Amino acid sequence: MNRFPTSIRQLGCALLASLAVLAGTAHAQYPDRPVRIIVPFAPGGGTDLIARTLGQGMAKELGQSVIIENKPGAGTVIGTDLAAKSPPDGYTLVIATLAHAVNPSLLAKLPYSNDTAFAPVTLVGRGPNVLVVRPDSPYKTVKDILDAVKAGKNLSYASQGNGTSAHLAGELFNNLAKTQLLHIPYRGAGPAMTDLRGGQVDLFFGTAAAVAGFIDQGTLRAIAVTSPEPSPAFKGVPTIAATVPGYSVESWYGFFVPAGTPAPVIAKLNAAIKKASQAPEFLQKVAQEGLTVTASDPAEFDRYVKAEEARWRKVVKENNIKSD
């Protein structure tokens, strides 16, 4: 009478053991097909460049093709949501930027939760924005700007849109320097710089990727960088923090996968991205952006993003910043 139940139990144990072996084998063989990186921006920008260059290095490390899929729109929400709803199998990553940390406080409702929809992989690196003016501007230092404001001058600054890094950089400057620079939002960095160079606006806290070429050509002049330390990409350019203590704004790039992705798979992706981020071709391409390559562990990236979310939530609330 006991043999049948015992056989069933033995069969069940055998099946469980087989499944465990198969699962372990699956992790060991990962990846066995191409990996996709979702870029929540249009092709051609700094984020796209980083994803594509890293993708080439990752492909060598993983032994599989890495496909870049651009899904721009809604301030990165469209592409990020696609990643959040993808299977948690390690075959879909999303490259995240400052927008990822700002959107939860900037937008009334997101189709995903930053806290529960994603698992961190790595913070690739951080870089500064650059405070720039036209070449004939009378403002050569941050102190010149502060002196002009104290003298009653009404200064304006451009951004590539409400809630972007340039907008947040300007509002943080207002908060810490006790100024009231007027924000003029544009639809993209191109129109913002056109009006800056034409004299319609006074200042622009642009991303390094957006302004580096213009600085090299002499059509824009760098006043200061927004990072807490000077940037090797902009030699001789001081920090805003040297004049406005506590000021710090960084553009950053990191990778997430959908929540529930197995830890061994995340570890393999982390290792592949770390190796790819140290390749000479990657370091050369990101040099002009002043990117400091960090290639962190997942836990470090998670702490960094949570701190960014808390910091920008305060700025968004204090300045009543709304999305476009």
PDB file of all heavy atoms in Angstrom, residues 97-99 101-102 123 125-130 165-166 168-169 172 206-208 225-230 247-253 289-292 294 304 308 311-312:
ATOM      1  N   THR A  97      19.134  57.228 -17.888  1.00  0.00           N
ATOM      2  CA  THR A  97      19.843  58.480 -17.662  1.00  0.00           C
ATOM      3  C   THR A  97      19.193  59.225 -16.501  1.00  0.00           C
ATOM      4  O   THR A  97      18.315  58.680 -15.814  1.00  0.00           O
ATOM      5  CB  THR A  97      19.800  59.364 -18.917  1.00  0.00           C
ATOM      6  OG1 THR A  97      18.424  59.712 -19.176  1.00  0.00           O
ATOM      7  CG2 THR A  97      20.370  58.641 -20.132  1.00  0.00           C
ATOM      8  N   LEU A  98      19.587  60.467 -16.307  1.00  0.00           N
ATOM      9  CA  LEU A  98      19.012  61.305 -15.253  1.00  0.00           C
ATOM     10  C   LEU A  98      17.488  61.312 -15.304  1.00  0.00           C
ATOM     11  O   LEU A  98      16.830  61.354 -14.262  1.00  0.00           O
ATOM     12  CB  LEU A  98      19.549  62.734 -15.397  1.00  0.00           C
ATOM     13  CG  LEU A  98      19.010  63.785 -14.427  1.00  0.00           C
ATOM     14  CD1 LEU A  98      19.530  63.534 -13.013  1.00  0.00           C
ATOM     15  CD2 LEU A  98      19.403  65.185 -14.881  1.00  0.00           C
ATOM     16  N   ALA A  99      16.918  61.239 -16.503  1.00  0.00           N
ATOM     17  CA  ALA A  99      15.457  61.256 -16.650  1.00  0.00           C
ATOM     18  C   ALA A  99      14.801  60.135 -15.858  1.00  0.00           C
ATOM     19  O   ALA A  99      13.688  60.287 -15.342  1.00  0.00           O
ATOM     20  CB  ALA A  99      15.081  61.153 -18.125  1.00  0.00           C
ATOM     21  N   ALA A 101      15.582  59.001 -12.977  1.00  0.00           N
ATOM     22  CA  ALA A 101      15.464  59.388 -11.570  1.00  0.00           C
ATOM     23  C   ALA A 101      14.517  60.550 -11.363  1.00  0.00           C
ATOM     24  O   ALA A 101      13.962  60.717 -10.274  1.00  0.00           O
ATOM     25  CB  ALA A 101      16.848  59.734 -11.012  1.00  0.00           C
ATOM     26  N   VAL A 102      14.316  61.358 -12.402  1.00  0.00           N
ATOM     27  CA  VAL A 102      13.485  62.556 -12.285  1.00  0.00           C
ATOM     28  C   VAL A 102      12.016  62.276 -12.584  1.00  0.00           C
ATOM     29  O   VAL A 102      11.116  62.861 -11.964  1.00  0.00           O
ATOM     30  CB  VAL A 102      14.014  63.663 -13.222  1.00  0.00           C
ATOM     31  CG1 VAL A 102      13.084  64.875 -13.222  1.00  0.00           C
ATOM     32  CG2 VAL A 102      15.416  64.085 -12.802  1.00  0.00           C
ATOM     33  N   LEU A 123      26.068  51.182 -13.096  1.00  0.00           N
ATOM     34  CA  LEU A 123      26.233  52.587 -13.466  1.00  0.00           C
ATOM     35  C   LEU A 123      27.492  52.653 -14.318  1.00  0.00           C
ATOM     36  O   LEU A 123      28.593  52.420 -13.827  1.00  0.00           O
ATOM     37  CB  LEU A 123      26.386  53.460 -12.217  1.00  0.00           C
ATOM     38  CG  LEU A 123      26.727  54.932 -12.449  1.00  0.00           C
ATOM     39  CD1 LEU A 123      25.586  55.642 -13.151  1.00  0.00           C
ATOM     40  CD2 LEU A 123      27.051  55.628 -11.126  1.00  0.00           C
ATOM     41  N   GLY A 125      28.804  55.351 -16.064  1.00  0.00           N
ATOM     42  CA  GLY A 125      29.642  56.509 -15.812  1.00  0.00           C
ATOM     43  C   GLY A 125      28.834  57.780 -15.596  1.00  0.00           C
ATOM     44  O   GLY A 125      27.612  57.801 -15.781  1.00  0.00           O
ATOM     45  N   ARG A 126      29.542  58.828 -15.197  1.00  0.00           N
ATOM     46  CA  ARG A 126      28.930  60.129 -14.911  1.00  0.00           C
ATOM     47  C   ARG A 126      29.733  61.223 -15.606  1.00  0.00           C
ATOM     48  O   ARG A 126      30.945  61.090 -15.784  1.00  0.00           O
ATOM     49  CB  ARG A 126      28.914  60.407 -13.406  1.00  0.00           C
ATOM     50  CG  ARG A 126      28.373  59.285 -12.559  1.00  0.00           C
ATOM     51  CD  ARG A 126      28.260  59.707 -11.112  1.00  0.00           C
ATOM     52  NE  ARG A 126      29.511  60.242 -10.592  1.00  0.00           N
ATOM     53  CZ  ARG A 126      30.273  59.612  -9.713  1.00  0.00           C
ATOM     54  NH1 ARG A 126      29.925  58.427  -9.259  1.00  0.00           N
ATOM     55  NH2 ARG A 126      31.382  60.180  -9.263  1.00  0.00           N
ATOM     56  N   GLY A 127      29.036  62.290 -15.973  1.00  0.00           N
ATOM     57  CA  GLY A 127      29.716  63.402 -16.631  1.00  0.00           C
ATOM     58  C   GLY A 127      29.015  64.714 -16.334  1.00  0.00           C
ATOM     59  O   GLY A 127      27.876  64.726 -15.861  1.00  0.00           O
ATOM     60  N   PRO A 128      29.660  65.844 -16.618  1.00  0.00           N
ATOM     61  CA  PRO A 128      29.085  67.138 -16.276  1.00  0.00           C
ATOM     62  C   PRO A 128      28.186  67.697 -17.360  1.00  0.00           C
ATOM     63  O   PRO A 128      28.258  67.294 -18.526  1.00  0.00           O
ATOM     64  CB  PRO A 128      30.328  68.023 -16.141  1.00  0.00           C
ATOM     65  CG  PRO A 128      31.247  67.469 -17.190  1.00  0.00           C
ATOM     66  CD  PRO A 128      31.016  65.975 -17.181  1.00  0.00           C
ATOM     67  N   ASN A 129      27.325  68.630 -16.993  1.00  0.00           N
ATOM     68  CA  ASN A 129      26.788  69.603 -17.926  1.00  0.00           C
ATOM     69  C   ASN A 129      27.768  70.780 -17.940  1.00  0.00           C
ATOM     70  O   ASN A 129      28.652  70.862 -17.077  1.00  0.00           O
ATOM     71  CB  ASN A 129      25.404  70.075 -17.497  1.00  0.00           C
ATOM     72  CG  ASN A 129      24.317  69.075 -17.870  1.00  0.00           C
ATOM     73  OD1 ASN A 129      24.552  67.873 -17.953  1.00  0.00           O
ATOM     74  ND2 ASN A 129      23.109  69.569 -18.068  1.00  0.00           N
ATOM     75  N   VAL A 130      27.622  71.664 -18.908  1.00  0.00           N
ATOM     76  CA  VAL A 130      28.537  72.798 -19.019  1.00  0.00           C
ATOM     77  C   VAL A 130      27.720  74.073 -19.162  1.00  0.00           C
ATOM     78  O   VAL A 130      26.831  74.160 -20.014  1.00  0.00           O
ATOM     79  CB  VAL A 130      29.474  72.643 -20.234  1.00  0.00           C
ATOM     80  CG1 VAL A 130      30.536  73.742 -20.222  1.00  0.00           C
ATOM     81  CG2 VAL A 130      30.137  71.276 -20.243  1.00  0.00           C
ATOM     82  N   SER A 165      17.816  67.893 -18.042  1.00  0.00           N
ATOM     83  CA  SER A 165      18.956  68.141 -17.159  1.00  0.00           C
ATOM     84  C   SER A 165      19.338  69.621 -17.152  1.00  0.00           C
ATOM     85  O   SER A 165      19.723  70.168 -16.112  1.00  0.00           O
ATOM     86  CB  SER A 165      20.160  67.291 -17.582  1.00  0.00           C
ATOM     87  OG  SER A 165      20.602  67.639 -18.887  1.00  0.00           O
ATOM     88  N   ALA A 166      19.232  70.301 -18.299  1.00  0.00           N
ATOM     89  CA  ALA A 166      19.569  71.728 -18.352  1.00  0.00           C
ATOM     90  C   ALA A 166      18.600  72.552 -17.515  1.00  0.00           C
ATOM     91  O   ALA A 166      19.003  73.511 -16.842  1.00  0.00           O
ATOM     92  CB  ALA A 166      19.561  72.210 -19.803  1.00  0.00           C
ATOM     93  N   LEU A 168      16.804  71.450 -14.870  1.00  0.00           N
ATOM     94  CA  LEU A 168      17.057  71.153 -13.459  1.00  0.00           C
ATOM     95  C   LEU A 168      18.348  71.812 -12.977  1.00  0.00           C
ATOM     96  O   LEU A 168      18.416  72.298 -11.843  1.00  0.00           O
ATOM     97  CB  LEU A 168      17.126  69.641 -13.260  1.00  0.00           C
ATOM     98  CG  LEU A 168      15.817  68.883 -13.523  1.00  0.00           C
ATOM     99  CD1 LEU A 168      16.072  67.392 -13.594  1.00  0.00           C
ATOM    100  CD2 LEU A 168      14.777  69.204 -12.472  1.00  0.00           C
ATOM    101  N   ALA A 169      19.354  71.835 -13.851  1.00  0.00           N
ATOM    102  CA  ALA A 169      20.621  72.484 -13.481  1.00  0.00           C
ATOM    103  C   ALA A 169      20.408  73.966 -13.217  1.00  0.00           C
ATOM    104  O   ALA A 169      20.970  74.532 -12.268  1.00  0.00           O
ATOM    105  CB  ALA A 169      21.650  72.285 -14.591  1.00  0.00           C
ATOM    106  N   LEU A 172      18.406  74.405  -9.857  1.00  0.00           N
ATOM    107  CA  LEU A 172      19.261  74.167  -8.697  1.00  0.00           C
ATOM    108  C   LEU A 172      20.189  75.361  -8.485  1.00  0.00           C
ATOM    109  O   LEU A 172      20.455  75.762  -7.346  1.00  0.00           O
ATOM    110  CB  LEU A 172      20.074  72.888  -8.887  1.00  0.00           C
ATOM    111  CG  LEU A 172      20.956  72.486  -7.700  1.00  0.00           C
ATOM    112  CD1 LEU A 172      20.111  72.183  -6.463  1.00  0.00           C
ATOM    113  CD2 LEU A 172      21.823  71.274  -8.048  1.00  0.00           C
ATOM    114  N   GLY A 206      24.112  73.206 -20.802  1.00  0.00           N
ATOM    115  CA  GLY A 206      23.974  72.098 -21.746  1.00  0.00           C
ATOM    116  C   GLY A 206      24.746  70.858 -21.350  1.00  0.00           C
ATOM    117  O   GLY A 206      25.737  70.927 -20.621  1.00  0.00           O
ATOM    118  N   THR A 207      24.298  69.719 -21.869  1.00  0.00           N
ATOM    119  CA  THR A 207      25.074  68.496 -21.664  1.00  0.00           C
ATOM    120  C   THR A 207      26.398  68.629 -22.406  1.00  0.00           C
ATOM    121  O   THR A 207      26.499  69.334 -23.427  1.00  0.00           O
ATOM    122  CB  THR A 207      24.325  67.259 -22.177  1.00  0.00           C
ATOM    123  OG1 THR A 207      24.139  67.383 -23.602  1.00  0.00           O
ATOM    124  CG2 THR A 207      22.970  67.105 -21.497  1.00  0.00           C
ATOM    125  N   ALA A 208      27.398  67.945 -21.910  1.00  0.00           N
ATOM    126  CA  ALA A 208      28.709  68.011 -22.554  1.00  0.00           C
ATOM    127  C   ALA A 208      28.632  67.544 -24.001  1.00  0.00           C
ATOM    128  O   ALA A 208      29.272  68.109 -24.884  1.00  0.00           O
ATOM    129  CB  ALA A 208      29.703  67.164 -21.766  1.00  0.00           C
ATOM    130  N   VAL A 225      31.710  74.030 -15.272  1.00  0.00           N
ATOM    131  CA  VAL A 225      31.076  72.713 -15.362  1.00  0.00           C
ATOM    132  C   VAL A 225      30.212  72.491 -14.120  1.00  0.00           C
ATOM    133  O   VAL A 225      30.460  73.069 -13.056  1.00  0.00           O
ATOM    134  CB  VAL A 225      32.118  71.583 -15.498  1.00  0.00           C
ATOM    135  CG1 VAL A 225      32.841  71.678 -16.836  1.00  0.00           C
ATOM    136  CG2 VAL A 225      33.122  71.592 -14.343  1.00  0.00           C
ATOM    137  N   THR A 226      29.206  71.647 -14.266  1.00  0.00           N
ATOM    138  CA  THR A 226      28.252  71.443 -13.179  1.00  0.00           C
ATOM    139  C   THR A 226      28.644  70.324 -12.228  1.00  0.00           C
ATOM    140  O   THR A 226      28.003  70.153 -11.194  1.00  0.00           O
ATOM    141  CB  THR A 226      26.857  71.129 -13.747  1.00  0.00           C
ATOM    142  OG1 THR A 226      26.920  69.870 -14.459  1.00  0.00           O
ATOM    143  CG2 THR A 226      26.373  72.212 -14.693  1.00  0.00           C
ATOM    144  N   SER A 227      29.664  69.562 -12.583  1.00  0.00           N
ATOM    145  CA  SER A 227      30.105  68.467 -11.718  1.00  0.00           C
ATOM    146  C   SER A 227      30.808  69.016 -10.479  1.00  0.00           C
ATOM    147  O   SER A 227      31.318  70.137 -10.493  1.00  0.00           O
ATOM    148  CB  SER A 227      31.044  67.534 -12.489  1.00  0.00           C
ATOM    149  OG  SER A 227      32.072  68.278 -13.110  1.00  0.00           O
ATOM    150  N   PRO A 228      30.856  68.238  -9.389  1.00  0.00           N
ATOM    151  CA  PRO A 228      31.504  68.737  -8.168  1.00  0.00           C
ATOM    152  C   PRO A 228      33.009  68.915  -8.306  1.00  0.00           C
ATOM    153  O   PRO A 228      33.617  69.676  -7.563  1.00  0.00           O
ATOM    154  CB  PRO A 228      31.160  67.670  -7.123  1.00  0.00           C
ATOM    155  CG  PRO A 228      30.794  66.452  -7.890  1.00  0.00           C
ATOM    156  CD  PRO A 228      30.217  66.924  -9.175  1.00  0.00           C
ATOM    157  N   GLU A 229      33.618  68.203  -9.260  1.00  0.00           N
ATOM    158  CA  GLU A 229      35.055  68.316  -9.505  1.00  0.00           C
ATOM    159  C   GLU A 229      35.289  68.778 -10.943  1.00  0.00           C
ATOM    160  O   GLU A 229      34.456  68.542 -11.820  1.00  0.00           O
ATOM    161  CB  GLU A 229      35.747  66.954  -9.293  1.00  0.00           C
ATOM    162  CG  GLU A 229      35.576  66.362  -7.899  1.00  0.00           C
ATOM    163  CD  GLU A 229      36.271  67.181  -6.817  1.00  0.00           C
ATOM    164  OE1 GLU A 229      37.242  67.906  -7.171  1.00  0.00           O
ATOM    165  OE2 GLU A 229      35.858  67.108  -5.657  1.00  0.00           O
ATOM    166  N   PRO A 230      36.413  69.453 -11.228  1.00  0.00           N
ATOM    167  CA  PRO A 230      36.719  69.845 -12.604  1.00  0.00           C
ATOM    168  C   PRO A 230      36.743  68.637 -13.530  1.00  0.00           C
ATOM    169  O   PRO A 230      37.072  67.517 -13.113  1.00  0.00           O
ATOM    170  CB  PRO A 230      38.104  70.490 -12.485  1.00  0.00           C
ATOM    171  CG  PRO A 230      38.193  70.942 -11.067  1.00  0.00           C
ATOM    172  CD  PRO A 230      37.430  69.919 -10.265  1.00  0.00           C
ATOM    173  N   TYR A 247      26.810  72.975  -5.096  1.00  0.00           N
ATOM    174  CA  TYR A 247      26.180  72.778  -6.401  1.00  0.00           C
ATOM    175  C   TYR A 247      26.767  71.543  -7.083  1.00  0.00           C
ATOM    176  O   TYR A 247      27.986  71.385  -7.172  1.00  0.00           O
ATOM    177  CB  TYR A 247      26.390  73.994  -7.294  1.00  0.00           C
ATOM    178  CG  TYR A 247      25.640  73.910  -8.605  1.00  0.00           C
ATOM    179  CD1 TYR A 247      24.357  74.424  -8.721  1.00  0.00           C
ATOM    180  CD2 TYR A 247      26.202  73.291  -9.710  1.00  0.00           C
ATOM    181  CE1 TYR A 247      23.656  74.339  -9.908  1.00  0.00           C
ATOM    182  CE2 TYR A 247      25.513  73.200 -10.903  1.00  0.00           C
ATOM    183  CZ  TYR A 247      24.247  73.722 -11.006  1.00  0.00           C
ATOM    184  OH  TYR A 247      23.550  73.604 -12.182  1.00  0.00           O
ATOM    185  N   SER A 248      25.898  70.675  -7.594  1.00  0.00           N
ATOM    186  CA  SER A 248      26.353  69.478  -8.299  1.00  0.00           C
ATOM    187  C   SER A 248      25.235  68.927  -9.169  1.00  0.00           C
ATOM    188  O   SER A 248      24.139  68.634  -8.677  1.00  0.00           O
ATOM    189  CB  SER A 248      26.808  68.405  -7.296  1.00  0.00           C
ATOM    190  OG  SER A 248      27.112  67.193  -7.967  1.00  0.00           O
ATOM    191  N   VAL A 249      25.509  68.829 -10.448  1.00  0.00           N
ATOM    192  CA  VAL A 249      24.587  68.195 -11.397  1.00  0.00           C
ATOM    193  C   VAL A 249      25.424  67.315 -12.313  1.00  0.00           C
ATOM    194  O   VAL A 249      26.415  67.770 -12.883  1.00  0.00           O
ATOM    195  CB  VAL A 249      23.824  69.239 -12.252  1.00  0.00           C
ATOM    196  CG1 VAL A 249      22.920  68.534 -13.258  1.00  0.00           C
ATOM    197  CG2 VAL A 249      23.008  70.172 -11.365  1.00  0.00           C
ATOM    198  N   GLU A 250      25.023  66.069 -12.452  1.00  0.00           N
ATOM    199  CA  GLU A 250      25.762  65.152 -13.316  1.00  0.00           C
ATOM    200  C   GLU A 250      24.809  64.442 -14.271  1.00  0.00           C
ATOM    201  O   GLU A 250      23.719  64.024 -13.885  1.00  0.00           O
ATOM    202  CB  GLU A 250      26.499  64.100 -12.498  1.00  0.00           C
ATOM    203  CG  GLU A 250      27.626  64.653 -11.643  1.00  0.00           C
ATOM    204  CD  GLU A 250      28.323  63.569 -10.849  1.00  0.00           C
ATOM    205  OE1 GLU A 250      27.634  62.823 -10.144  1.00  0.00           O
ATOM    206  OE2 GLU A 250      29.552  63.481 -10.946  1.00  0.00           O
ATOM    207  N   SER A 251      25.226  64.355 -15.519  1.00  0.00           N
ATOM    208  CA  SER A 251      24.562  63.436 -16.434  1.00  0.00           C
ATOM    209  C   SER A 251      25.145  62.050 -16.169  1.00  0.00           C
ATOM    210  O   SER A 251      26.330  61.924 -15.869  1.00  0.00           O
ATOM    211  CB  SER A 251      24.839  63.847 -17.889  1.00  0.00           C
ATOM    212  OG  SER A 251      24.275  65.115 -18.156  1.00  0.00           O
ATOM    213  N   TRP A 252      24.312  61.032 -16.245  1.00  0.00           N
ATOM    214  CA  TRP A 252      24.830  59.692 -15.991  1.00  0.00           C
ATOM    215  C   TRP A 252      24.131  58.664 -16.880  1.00  0.00           C
ATOM    216  O   TRP A 252      23.061  58.925 -17.443  1.00  0.00           O
ATOM    217  CB  TRP A 252      24.698  59.303 -14.517  1.00  0.00           C
ATOM    218  CG  TRP A 252      23.321  59.441 -13.909  1.00  0.00           C
ATOM    219  CD1 TRP A 252      22.836  60.508 -13.202  1.00  0.00           C
ATOM    220  CD2 TRP A 252      22.256  58.479 -13.935  1.00  0.00           C
ATOM    221  NE1 TRP A 252      21.545  60.265 -12.797  1.00  0.00           N
ATOM    222  CE2 TRP A 252      21.157  59.040 -13.224  1.00  0.00           C
ATOM    223  CE3 TRP A 252      22.113  57.207 -14.472  1.00  0.00           C
ATOM    224  CZ2 TRP A 252      19.948  58.360 -13.056  1.00  0.00           C
ATOM    225  CZ3 TRP A 252      20.906  56.531 -14.318  1.00  0.00           C
ATOM    226  CH2 TRP A 252      19.842  57.117 -13.615  1.00  0.00           C
ATOM    227  N   TYR A 253      24.772  57.512 -16.998  1.00  0.00           N
ATOM    228  CA  TYR A 253      24.267  56.437 -17.848  1.00  0.00           C
ATOM    229  C   TYR A 253      24.413  55.117 -17.097  1.00  0.00           C
ATOM    230  O   TYR A 253      25.477  54.823 -16.545  1.00  0.00           O
ATOM    231  CB  TYR A 253      25.059  56.364 -19.154  1.00  0.00           C
ATOM    232  CG  TYR A 253      25.114  57.680 -19.901  1.00  0.00           C
ATOM    233  CD1 TYR A 253      26.163  58.577 -19.684  1.00  0.00           C
ATOM    234  CD2 TYR A 253      24.120  58.039 -20.806  1.00  0.00           C
ATOM    235  CE1 TYR A 253      26.223  59.785 -20.351  1.00  0.00           C
ATOM    236  CE2 TYR A 253      24.165  59.247 -21.477  1.00  0.00           C
ATOM    237  CZ  TYR A 253      25.219  60.123 -21.249  1.00  0.00           C
ATOM    238  OH  TYR A 253      25.264  61.322 -21.901  1.00  0.00           O
ATOM    239  N   GLU A 289      32.829  63.850 -23.798  1.00  0.00           N
ATOM    240  CA  GLU A 289      31.709  64.126 -22.905  1.00  0.00           C
ATOM    241  C   GLU A 289      32.157  64.260 -21.454  1.00  0.00           C
ATOM    242  O   GLU A 289      31.339  64.509 -20.567  1.00  0.00           O
ATOM    243  CB  GLU A 289      30.661  63.018 -23.013  1.00  0.00           C
ATOM    244  CG  GLU A 289      29.985  62.948 -24.369  1.00  0.00           C
ATOM    245  CD  GLU A 289      28.769  62.061 -24.375  1.00  0.00           C
ATOM    246  OE1 GLU A 289      27.994  62.102 -23.405  1.00  0.00           O
ATOM    247  OE2 GLU A 289      28.589  61.322 -25.343  1.00  0.00           O
ATOM    248  N   GLY A 290      33.442  64.096 -21.211  1.00  0.00           N
ATOM    249  CA  GLY A 290      33.940  64.187 -19.847  1.00  0.00           C
ATOM    250  C   GLY A 290      33.408  63.077 -18.972  1.00  0.00           C
ATOM    251  O   GLY A 290      33.308  63.229 -17.742  1.00  0.00           O
ATOM    252  N   LEU A 291      33.060  61.957 -19.577  1.00  0.00           N
ATOM    253  CA  LEU A 291      32.455  60.859 -18.818  1.00  0.00           C
ATOM    254  C   LEU A 291      33.496  60.171 -17.946  1.00  0.00           C
ATOM    255  O   LEU A 291      34.542  59.735 -18.427  1.00  0.00           O
ATOM    256  CB  LEU A 291      31.826  59.844 -19.769  1.00  0.00           C
ATOM    257  CG  LEU A 291      30.872  58.842 -19.131  1.00  0.00           C
ATOM    258  CD1 LEU A 291      29.560  59.519 -18.761  1.00  0.00           C
ATOM    259  CD2 LEU A 291      30.600  57.677 -20.079  1.00  0.00           C
ATOM    260  N   THR A 292      33.225  60.106 -16.656  1.00  0.00           N
ATOM    261  CA  THR A 292      34.052  59.337 -15.736  1.00  0.00           C
ATOM    262  C   THR A 292      33.464  57.935 -15.655  1.00  0.00           C
ATOM    263  O   THR A 292      32.345  57.751 -15.173  1.00  0.00           O
ATOM    264  CB  THR A 292      34.066  59.974 -14.333  1.00  0.00           C
ATOM    265  OG1 THR A 292      34.601  61.296 -14.427  1.00  0.00           O
ATOM    266  CG2 THR A 292      34.917  59.148 -13.378  1.00  0.00           C
ATOM    267  N   THR A 294      32.674  54.436 -14.354  1.00  0.00           N
ATOM    268  CA  THR A 294      32.640  53.830 -13.021  1.00  0.00           C
ATOM    269  C   THR A 294      32.400  52.329 -13.071  1.00  0.00           C
ATOM    270  O   THR A 294      32.992  51.583 -12.299  1.00  0.00           O
ATOM    271  CB  THR A 294      31.535  54.474 -12.171  1.00  0.00           C
ATOM    272  OG1 THR A 294      30.288  54.375 -12.869  1.00  0.00           O
ATOM    273  CG2 THR A 294      31.831  55.940 -11.902  1.00  0.00           C
ATOM    274  N   TYR A 304      22.898  54.774  -5.837  1.00  0.00           N
ATOM    275  CA  TYR A 304      23.105  56.036  -6.545  1.00  0.00           C
ATOM    276  C   TYR A 304      21.785  56.571  -7.102  1.00  0.00           C
ATOM    277  O   TYR A 304      21.460  57.755  -6.946  1.00  0.00           O
ATOM    278  CB  TYR A 304      24.110  55.836  -7.680  1.00  0.00           C
ATOM    279  CG  TYR A 304      24.399  57.090  -8.476  1.00  0.00           C
ATOM    280  CD1 TYR A 304      25.325  58.024  -8.036  1.00  0.00           C
ATOM    281  CD2 TYR A 304      23.736  57.334  -9.675  1.00  0.00           C
ATOM    282  CE1 TYR A 304      25.582  59.181  -8.763  1.00  0.00           C
ATOM    283  CE2 TYR A 304      23.984  58.487 -10.408  1.00  0.00           C
ATOM    284  CZ  TYR A 304      24.920  59.403  -9.952  1.00  0.00           C
ATOM    285  OH  TYR A 304      25.152  60.551 -10.676  1.00  0.00           O
ATOM    286  N   GLU A 308      19.668  60.007  -6.231  1.00  0.00           N
ATOM    287  CA  GLU A 308      19.305  60.955  -7.274  1.00  0.00           C
ATOM    288  C   GLU A 308      17.800  61.239  -7.263  1.00  0.00           C
ATOM    289  O   GLU A 308      17.367  62.386  -7.406  1.00  0.00           O
ATOM    290  CB  GLU A 308      19.716  60.410  -8.653  1.00  0.00           C
ATOM    291  CG  GLU A 308      21.192  60.486  -8.940  1.00  0.00           C
ATOM    292  CD  GLU A 308      21.617  61.906  -9.311  1.00  0.00           C
ATOM    293  OE1 GLU A 308      21.503  62.288 -10.478  1.00  0.00           O
ATOM    294  OE2 GLU A 308      22.071  62.636  -8.402  1.00  0.00           O
ATOM    295  N   ARG A 311      17.040  63.553  -4.314  1.00  0.00           N
ATOM    296  CA  ARG A 311      17.576  64.898  -4.491  1.00  0.00           C
ATOM    297  C   ARG A 311      16.743  65.707  -5.475  1.00  0.00           C
ATOM    298  O   ARG A 311      16.378  66.852  -5.211  1.00  0.00           O
ATOM    299  CB  ARG A 311      19.022  64.817  -4.984  1.00  0.00           C
ATOM    300  CG  ARG A 311      19.741  66.152  -5.011  1.00  0.00           C
ATOM    301  CD  ARG A 311      21.237  65.938  -5.041  1.00  0.00           C
ATOM    302  NE  ARG A 311      21.692  65.485  -6.332  1.00  0.00           N
ATOM    303  CZ  ARG A 311      22.229  66.301  -7.253  1.00  0.00           C
ATOM    304  NH1 ARG A 311      22.349  67.581  -6.992  1.00  0.00           N
ATOM    305  NH2 ARG A 311      22.652  65.835  -8.399  1.00  0.00           N
ATOM    306  N   TRP A 312      16.392  65.096  -6.601  1.00  0.00           N
ATOM    307  CA  TRP A 312      15.649  65.832  -7.626  1.00  0.00           C
ATOM    308  C   TRP A 312      14.174  65.965  -7.280  1.00  0.00           C
ATOM    309  O   TRP A 312      13.510  66.906  -7.734  1.00  0.00           O
ATOM    310  CB  TRP A 312      15.849  65.184  -8.990  1.00  0.00           C
ATOM    311  CG  TRP A 312      17.261  65.360  -9.467  1.00  0.00           C
ATOM    312  CD1 TRP A 312      18.182  64.392  -9.712  1.00  0.00           C
ATOM    313  CD2 TRP A 312      17.928  66.601  -9.728  1.00  0.00           C
ATOM    314  NE1 TRP A 312      19.375  64.938 -10.102  1.00  0.00           N
ATOM    315  CE2 TRP A 312      19.248  66.290 -10.120  1.00  0.00           C
ATOM    316  CE3 TRP A 312      17.536  67.937  -9.654  1.00  0.00           C
ATOM    317  CZ2 TRP A 312      20.178  67.284 -10.443  1.00  0.00           C
ATOM    318  CZ3 TRP A 312      18.459  68.924  -9.971  1.00  0.00           C
ATOM    319  CH2 TRP A 312      19.761  68.590 -10.368  1.00  0.00           C
TER     320      TRP A 312
END
